[in-house]
Amino acid sequence: MSYLLLFTLTKSYLTVEMFLKIEYSMLLFACIGIFGLIYFYIYLPETENKTLLEIEEFFASNLKDRK
């Protein structure tokens, strides 16, 4: 997913810069990056001070809940 998003953003940069000035295109891409940072902060589980077994159990229980 990351590679697809990075490819899309890289290829769309020149087109976006044609329609917007460079300042606004940089602002747009900065907002996209900040949104991604907030998304990851909210939706990624905290793994600090947890064993690999605890992390595995967390993801295994989430898979069972989805089925």
Side-chain angles (χ1 to χ4, degrees):
M1 183 73 170
S2 174
Y3 289 122
L4 288 174
L5 288 173
L6 186 61
F7 176 78
T8 304
L9 289 173
T10 302
K11 291 298 180 181
S12 67
Y13 175 76
L14 291 176
T15 306
V16 170
E17 191 178 339
M18 275 188 345
F19 291 108
L20 304 174
K21 292 183 179 181
I22 191 165
E23 298 87 8
Y24 295 112
S25 60
M26 290 294 170
L27 184 63
L28 174 67
F29 286 107
C31 289
I32 291 170
I34 291 170
F35 174 75
L37 181 69
I38 292 169
Y39 176 82
F40 285 133
Y41 182 77
I42 293 172
Y43 289 105
L44 284 181
E46 180 60 49
T47 58
E48 188 175 353
N49 297 326
K50 291 187 179 180
T51 65
L52 290 175
L53 181 61
E54 291 172 332
I55 296 169
E56 182 180 348
E57 288 173 350
F58 173 80
F59 285 109
S61 67
N62 282 345
L63 286 176
K64 290 178 186 175
D65 293 340
R66 291 182 186 176
K67 291 182 180 181

